[in-house]
Amino acid sequence: TKRVFSGIQPTGDLHLGNYIGAMKQFLPLQEQADCFFCIVDLHALTVPRDPEELREKTLELATLYLATGLDPDKITLFIQSQVPGHAEAAWLLQCVARMGELNRMTQFKDKSQGSDSVTAGLFTYPVLQAADILLYQTDVVPVGEDQKQHLELTRDLAERFNRQYGEVFRIPEHQIPKTGARIMGLDNPEKKMSKSAPSEANYITLLEDEKSILKKFKRAVTDSENEIRFDPENKPGVSNLLAIYSEMSGQSVESLVEQYQGKGYGHLKLDTAEAVINRLKPIQERYRELRESGEVEAVLRRGAERAREVSEATLAEMKKAMGLVQF
Ligand code: ATP
Ligand code: MG
């Protein structure tokens, strides 16, 4: 069976982009592969955080993973910081990674905006991500489109390590969905929907109530034409609505475009909101049940145990290959 790894940062409220780009792909994979899903709290530390809020968001994210339908008996769900191998392997890989290649990461450029006060962790973050993936001898990494470049780096680091020190790592492939790989911000369809967006109008969270979902879709930025067609380049706002509607309702983009010929944007916005509300409802119900049940902590404990077991085997091989003495 194939090994799958994917991580999400507990940096804010999970949104439709995270759900459509990443989590929706996890469900079929849990039936056919050995899946490791990780709450990457060490990544969250690359920007200053309120400790209390980080703790809260970490447990919320764990609960949401399960609420979307992931079955703790089929997958391994764990918190990154509870598995020490991630930070250790990241250091070893930092001694393989090059400044030049990290300098080329567009996410770093976006998030740092050239400022001097960003942390060193934000710069080396993609190396920690590579460690996350490689420690599990991962075959497939289901992620959104924005992670493509980091995945390429992960492959480069693994190949370089294998060349320099001998075959230790399996080389992973990314799995990026065909539609919905890049859900755009509702307030600005030129940029991706993001947990760390400055305005709440940017995203719909998975726990958002009906009224607010409706309001945000009504205000979603579109364009000054009135034709509904799928054209991300020239009509990013309308195309984004179509992508969300399609992904949340299971209808194809083409059939939606056909259905909405001659109808106004208002119509499309309302129906998209309704599709989102309907899709999120059972997830929100399950979320509340799980929160009350208190079973999430036990799932995370078990997950960390298995993750430690698997990652330690790879870490020991890395150390041996690099010449570190182990007794
Ligand atoms: P942050 O702004 O803090 O980086 P984020 O919204 O980018 O948060 P991450 O935790 O970095 O969320 O990413 C988790 C997963 O969600 C990744 O697989 C990423 O590719 C995917 N993802 C994030 N944003 C989108 C989006 N707008 N559309 C599709 N997939 C997305
Ligand atoms: Mg991100």
Side-chain angles (χ1 to χ4, degrees):
T1 56
K2 294 224 156 150
R3 203 34 92 58
V4 168
F5 181 96
S6 196
I8 299 183
Q9 302 188 66
T11 44
D13 296 328
L14 276 202
H15 53 73
L16 286 181
N18 301 133
Y19 181 69
I20 295 171
M23 300 180 102
K24 242 179 106 227
Q25 305 188 67
F26 299 169
L27 291 175
L29 285 170
Q30 74 172 337
E31 307 298 339
Q32 63 201 42
D34 184 15
C35 296
F36 285 77
F37 295 125
C38 187
I39 297 151
V40 288
D41 55 348
L42 297 176
H43 287 281
L45 296 175
T46 53
V47 228
R49 301 268 164 218
D50 172 49
E52 207 41 64
E53 190 181 322
L54 178 58
R55 248 187 299 276
E56 170 65 25
K57 290 291 169 201
T58 299
L59 295 174
E60 182 182 304
L61 175 53
T63 311
L64 267 170
Y65 264 107
L66 298 177
T68 62
L70 291 176
D71 177 348
D73 291 328
K74 293 182 181 153
I75 61 155
T76 302
L77 179 66
F78 69 103
I79 300 175
Q80 184 187 31
S81 64
Q82 295 186 351
V83 182
H86 290 249
E88 265 190 87
W91 173 257
L92 301 181
L93 288 174
Q94 276 179 61
C95 299
V96 174
R98 296 172 184 158
M99 294 291 285
E101 62 193 346
L102 297 185
N103 253 324
R104 286 194 291 274
M105 295 295 116
T106 56
Q107 180 173 298
F108 177 72
K109 288 183 204 160
D110 278 0
K111 288 194 173 182
S112 64
Q113 307 272 7
S115 149
D116 268 351
S117 59
V118 295
T119 66
L122 190 68
F123 184 68
T124 57
Y125 161 123
V127 184
L128 176 58
Q129 187 175 337
D132 299 339
I133 295 165
L134 298 175
L135 276 174
Y136 297 90
Q137 303 292 353
T138 301
D139 298 290
V140 181
V141 187
V143 281
E145 208 263 337
D146 63 302
Q147 292 302 319
K148 200 169 166 184
Q149 194 187 31
H150 289 166
L151 242 293
E152 279 310 313
L153 177 77
T154 300
R155 292 165 57 91
D156 288 346
L157 293 178
E159 279 164 4
R160 190 176 311 145
F161 187 102
N162 285 352
R163 255 196 325 274
Q164 259 175 12
Y165 296 111
E167 289 289 317
V168 169
F169 297 125
R170 197 173 297 175
I171 311 297
E173 310 266 348
H174 60 67
Q175 178 181 309
I176 294 172
K178 285 198 187 64
T179 42
R182 191 175 182 82
I183 297 299
M184 309 309 276
L186 295 183
D187 61 342
N188 174 7
E190 309 277 342
K191 287 189 95 172
K192 86 166 189 74
M193 191 176 278
S194 244
K195 277 188 246 116
S196 50
S199 160
E200 284 184 15
N202 174 271
Y203 49 74
I204 303 283
T205 82
L206 298 190
L207 296 176
E208 202 149 334
D209 65 59
E210 286 190 35
K211 244 176 80 186
S212 161
I213 294 176
L214 206 58
K215 195 167 94 190
K216 285 187 187 175
F217 273 108
K218 276 188 183 159
R219 293 188 186 160
V221 172
T222 47
D223 54 55
S224 55
E225 301 178 1
N226 54 15
E227 193 199 352
I228 294 179
R229 65 188 152 87
F230 190 73
D231 179 356
E233 187 108 333
N234 300 306
K235 296 174 75 72
V238 170
S239 304
N240 193 40
L241 291 175
L242 286 167
I244 293 173
Y245 192 172
S246 161
E247 286 295 317
M248 298 307 267
S249 69
Q251 301 181 70
S252 71
V253 169
E254 299 84 76
S255 88
L256 290 175
V257 169
E258 210 164 291
Q259 254 168 265
Y260 283 85
Q261 277 326 295
K263 290 185 181 159
Y265 289 175
H267 227 93
L268 177 65
K269 287 179 172 181
L270 240 97
D271 293 354
T272 304
E274 195 181 271
V276 169
I277 289 166
N278 288 338
R279 180 76 181 235
L280 293 185
K281 199 179 243 167
I283 295 176
Q284 297 181 348
E285 274 163 19
R286 185 82 185 110
Y287 176 84
R288 274 178 228 112
E289 283 167 20
L290 281 162
R291 262 329 289 246
E292 272 157 39
S293 78
E295 65 190 79
V296 178
E297 191 179 313
V299 170
L300 291 170
R301 273 177 200 279
R302 256 196 294 145
E305 222 167 281
R306 168 131 202 267
R308 278 193 288 267
E309 224 175 82
V310 175
S311 60
E312 268 164 24
T314 305
L315 187 62
E317 278 187 58
M318 289 174 76
K319 289 179 175 170
K320 185 169 163 222
M322 294 178 100
L324 304 178
V325 174
Q326 297 173 83
F327 295 122

Short mmCIF file of all heavy atoms in Angstrom, two decimals, residues 186-215:
data_model
loop_
_atom_site.label_atom_id
_atom_site.label_comp_id
_atom_site.label_asym_id
_atom_site.label_seq_id
_atom_site.Cartn_x
_atom_site.Cartn_y
_atom_site.Cartn_z
N LEU A 186 -12.50 35.72 -1.53
CA LEU A 186 -13.78 36.29 -1.98
C LEU A 186 -13.68 37.80 -2.12
O LEU A 186 -14.36 38.41 -2.94
CB LEU A 186 -14.90 35.94 -0.99
CG LEU A 186 -15.25 34.45 -0.85
CD1 LEU A 186 -16.43 34.27 0.09
CD2 LEU A 186 -15.55 33.82 -2.21
N ASP A 187 -12.81 38.42 -1.32
CA ASP A 187 -12.67 39.88 -1.39
C ASP A 187 -11.65 40.31 -2.44
O ASP A 187 -11.58 41.47 -2.81
CB ASP A 187 -12.25 40.43 -0.02
CG ASP A 187 -10.91 39.87 0.45
OD1 ASP A 187 -10.47 38.83 -0.10
OD2 ASP A 187 -10.30 40.47 1.35
N ASN A 188 -10.85 39.35 -2.91
CA ASN A 188 -9.85 39.66 -3.92
C ASN A 188 -9.49 38.39 -4.68
O ASN A 188 -8.61 37.63 -4.28
CB ASN A 188 -8.59 40.24 -3.26
CG ASN A 188 -7.48 40.45 -4.27
OD1 ASN A 188 -7.67 40.28 -5.48
ND2 ASN A 188 -6.31 40.83 -3.79
N PRO A 189 -10.18 38.14 -5.80
CA PRO A 189 -9.99 36.87 -6.52
C PRO A 189 -8.66 36.78 -7.27
O PRO A 189 -8.44 35.82 -8.00
CB PRO A 189 -11.19 36.85 -7.49
CG PRO A 189 -11.61 38.25 -7.66
CD PRO A 189 -11.24 38.98 -6.39
N GLU A 190 -7.79 37.76 -7.06
CA GLU A 190 -6.45 37.67 -7.67
C GLU A 190 -5.49 36.94 -6.74
O GLU A 190 -4.39 36.57 -7.14
CB GLU A 190 -5.87 39.07 -7.93
CG GLU A 190 -6.79 40.04 -8.67
CD GLU A 190 -6.73 39.84 -10.18
OE1 GLU A 190 -5.77 39.21 -10.65
OE2 GLU A 190 -7.68 40.29 -10.86
N LYS A 191 -5.89 36.78 -5.46
CA LYS A 191 -5.00 36.12 -4.50
C LYS A 191 -5.69 34.91 -3.89
O LYS A 191 -6.91 34.89 -3.76
CB LYS A 191 -4.61 37.08 -3.37
CG LYS A 191 -3.62 38.15 -3.82
CD LYS A 191 -3.10 38.93 -2.64
CE LYS A 191 -1.76 38.35 -2.15
NZ LYS A 191 -1.16 39.22 -1.11
N LYS A 192 -4.91 33.92 -3.47
CA LYS A 192 -5.53 32.72 -2.94
C LYS A 192 -6.21 32.98 -1.59
O LYS A 192 -5.77 33.83 -0.82
CB LYS A 192 -4.52 31.59 -2.82
CG LYS A 192 -3.71 31.55 -1.55
CD LYS A 192 -2.99 30.21 -1.42
CE LYS A 192 -2.34 30.05 -0.05
NZ LYS A 192 -3.27 29.78 1.05
N MET A 193 -7.26 32.24 -1.33
CA MET A 193 -7.91 32.28 -0.02
C MET A 193 -6.89 31.82 1.00
O MET A 193 -6.19 30.83 0.78
CB MET A 193 -9.14 31.36 -0.04
CG MET A 193 -10.04 31.50 1.16
SD MET A 193 -11.53 30.46 1.04
CE MET A 193 -12.61 31.43 0.02
N SER A 194 -6.78 32.53 2.13
CA SER A 194 -5.73 32.22 3.11
C SER A 194 -6.23 32.40 4.53
O SER A 194 -6.95 33.33 4.82
CB SER A 194 -4.56 33.19 2.91
OG SER A 194 -3.43 32.49 2.52
N LYS A 195 -5.74 31.50 5.41
CA LYS A 195 -6.07 31.63 6.83
C LYS A 195 -5.52 32.92 7.38
O LYS A 195 -6.08 33.52 8.29
CB LYS A 195 -5.44 30.48 7.61
CG LYS A 195 -6.23 29.22 7.58
CD LYS A 195 -5.61 28.22 8.54
CE LYS A 195 -5.06 27.04 7.79
NZ LYS A 195 -3.62 26.88 7.88
N SER A 196 -4.38 33.33 6.86
CA SER A 196 -3.72 34.51 7.41
C SER A 196 -4.07 35.78 6.63
O SER A 196 -3.38 36.78 6.74
CB SER A 196 -2.21 34.28 7.43
OG SER A 196 -1.77 33.84 6.17
N ALA A 197 -5.14 35.74 5.85
CA ALA A 197 -5.57 36.95 5.13
C ALA A 197 -5.96 38.03 6.13
O ALA A 197 -6.51 37.73 7.20
CB ALA A 197 -6.75 36.63 4.22
N PRO A 198 -5.67 39.29 5.81
CA PRO A 198 -5.95 40.37 6.76
C PRO A 198 -7.45 40.61 7.02
O PRO A 198 -7.81 41.07 8.09
CB PRO A 198 -5.31 41.60 6.11
CG PRO A 198 -5.03 41.23 4.70
CD PRO A 198 -4.94 39.76 4.62
N SER A 199 -8.31 40.27 6.06
CA SER A 199 -9.74 40.53 6.27
C SER A 199 -10.55 39.25 6.29
O SER A 199 -10.32 38.33 5.50
CB SER A 199 -10.26 41.44 5.14
OG SER A 199 -11.66 41.32 5.06
N GLU A 200 -11.54 39.21 7.17
CA GLU A 200 -12.41 38.03 7.26
C GLU A 200 -13.28 37.86 6.02
O GLU A 200 -13.85 36.79 5.80
CB GLU A 200 -13.31 38.13 8.49
CG GLU A 200 -12.58 37.83 9.78
CD GLU A 200 -13.51 37.83 10.99
OE1 GLU A 200 -14.73 37.79 10.81
OE2 GLU A 200 -12.98 37.87 12.12
N ALA A 201 -13.41 38.92 5.25
CA ALA A 201 -14.21 38.84 4.02
C ALA A 201 -13.51 37.97 2.97
O ALA A 201 -14.10 37.61 1.96
CB ALA A 201 -14.44 40.23 3.47
N ASN A 202 -12.25 37.63 3.23
CA ASN A 202 -11.46 36.83 2.29
C ASN A 202 -11.91 35.38 2.20
O ASN A 202 -11.87 34.76 1.14
CB ASN A 202 -9.98 36.88 2.72
CG ASN A 202 -9.08 35.96 1.91
OD1 ASN A 202 -8.90 34.79 2.25
ND2 ASN A 202 -8.56 36.45 0.80
N TYR A 203 -12.34 34.84 3.34
CA TYR A 203 -12.58 33.40 3.40
C TYR A 203 -13.91 33.02 4.04
O TYR A 203 -14.54 33.81 4.73
CB TYR A 203 -11.45 32.71 4.20
CG TYR A 203 -11.14 33.37 5.52
CD1 TYR A 203 -11.99 33.24 6.61
CD2 TYR A 203 -10.00 34.14 5.68
CE1 TYR A 203 -11.71 33.83 7.82
CE2 TYR A 203 -9.71 34.77 6.90
CZ TYR A 203 -10.58 34.60 7.96
OH TYR A 203 -10.31 35.22 9.16
N ILE A 204 -14.32 31.79 3.78
CA ILE A 204 -15.44 31.17 4.48
C ILE A 204 -14.83 30.07 5.33
O ILE A 204 -14.13 29.20 4.80
CB ILE A 204 -16.43 30.51 3.49
CG1 ILE A 204 -16.97 31.51 2.47
CG2 ILE A 204 -17.54 29.79 4.24
CD1 ILE A 204 -18.04 32.44 2.97
N THR A 205 -15.06 30.09 6.62
CA THR A 205 -14.48 29.04 7.45
C THR A 205 -15.43 27.84 7.50
O THR A 205 -16.62 27.97 7.25
CB THR A 205 -14.20 29.50 8.89
OG1 THR A 205 -15.41 29.42 9.65
CG2 THR A 205 -13.66 30.92 8.92
N LEU A 206 -14.86 26.70 7.86
CA LEU A 206 -15.68 25.48 7.88
C LEU A 206 -16.71 25.52 9.00
O LEU A 206 -17.68 24.76 8.98
CB LEU A 206 -14.79 24.24 8.04
CG LEU A 206 -13.78 23.99 6.92
CD1 LEU A 206 -13.15 22.63 7.05
CD2 LEU A 206 -14.43 24.14 5.54
N LEU A 207 -16.51 26.40 9.98
CA LEU A 207 -17.44 26.46 11.11
C LEU A 207 -18.36 27.68 11.05
O LEU A 207 -19.06 28.00 11.99
CB LEU A 207 -16.66 26.45 12.44
CG LEU A 207 -15.87 25.16 12.71
CD1 LEU A 207 -15.06 25.29 13.98
CD2 LEU A 207 -16.80 23.96 12.81
N GLU A 208 -18.34 28.33 9.92
CA GLU A 208 -19.10 29.59 9.79
C GLU A 208 -20.61 29.35 9.75
O GLU A 208 -21.08 28.36 9.21
CB GLU A 208 -18.64 30.30 8.52
CG GLU A 208 -18.91 31.75 8.52
CD GLU A 208 -17.87 32.54 7.72
OE1 GLU A 208 -16.70 32.10 7.58
OE2 GLU A 208 -18.23 33.61 7.24
N ASP A 209 -21.39 30.32 10.32
CA ASP A 209 -22.84 30.13 10.32
C ASP A 209 -23.47 30.63 9.01
O ASP A 209 -22.86 31.40 8.26
CB ASP A 209 -23.49 30.79 11.53
CG ASP A 209 -23.33 32.30 11.52
OD1 ASP A 209 -23.79 32.94 10.56
OD2 ASP A 209 -22.72 32.83 12.46
N GLU A 210 -24.68 30.16 8.77
CA GLU A 210 -25.38 30.42 7.50
C GLU A 210 -25.43 31.89 7.12
O GLU A 210 -25.16 32.25 5.97
CB GLU A 210 -26.83 29.92 7.61
CG GLU A 210 -26.94 28.42 7.56
CD GLU A 210 -28.42 28.00 7.42
OE1 GLU A 210 -29.19 28.71 6.74
OE2 GLU A 210 -28.77 26.98 8.00
N LYS A 211 -25.79 32.70 8.09
CA LYS A 211 -26.00 34.12 7.82
C LYS A 211 -24.73 34.76 7.28
O LYS A 211 -24.76 35.51 6.31
CB LYS A 211 -26.42 34.84 9.12
CG LYS A 211 -27.83 35.42 9.02
CD LYS A 211 -28.26 36.05 10.33
CE LYS A 211 -27.68 37.45 10.52
NZ LYS A 211 -27.99 37.98 11.86
N SER A 212 -23.65 34.44 7.94
CA SER A 212 -22.38 35.04 7.56
C SER A 212 -21.90 34.51 6.20
O SER A 212 -21.33 35.25 5.39
CB SER A 212 -21.39 34.76 8.69
OG SER A 212 -20.10 34.92 8.26
N ILE A 213 -22.14 33.22 5.94
CA ILE A 213 -21.76 32.66 4.63
C ILE A 213 -22.51 33.39 3.52
O ILE A 213 -21.92 33.81 2.52
CB ILE A 213 -22.07 31.14 4.58
CG1 ILE A 213 -21.18 30.38 5.57
CG2 ILE A 213 -21.88 30.59 3.16
CD1 ILE A 213 -21.46 28.89 5.66
N LEU A 214 -23.79 33.56 3.73
CA LEU A 214 -24.63 34.23 2.75
C LEU A 214 -24.14 35.66 2.49
O LEU A 214 -24.01 36.10 1.36
CB LEU A 214 -26.07 34.24 3.28
CG LEU A 214 -27.18 34.30 2.24
CD1 LEU A 214 -27.08 33.13 1.27
CD2 LEU A 214 -28.54 34.27 2.94
N LYS A 215 -23.86 36.34 3.59
CA LYS A 215 -23.43 37.73 3.49
C LYS A 215 -22.12 37.84 2.71
O LYS A 215 -21.98 38.68 1.82
CB LYS A 215 -23.25 38.29 4.91
CG LYS A 215 -23.15 39.81 4.94
CD LYS A 215 -23.28 40.34 6.35
CE LYS A 215 -21.89 40.52 6.95
NZ LYS A 215 -21.90 40.82 8.39
#
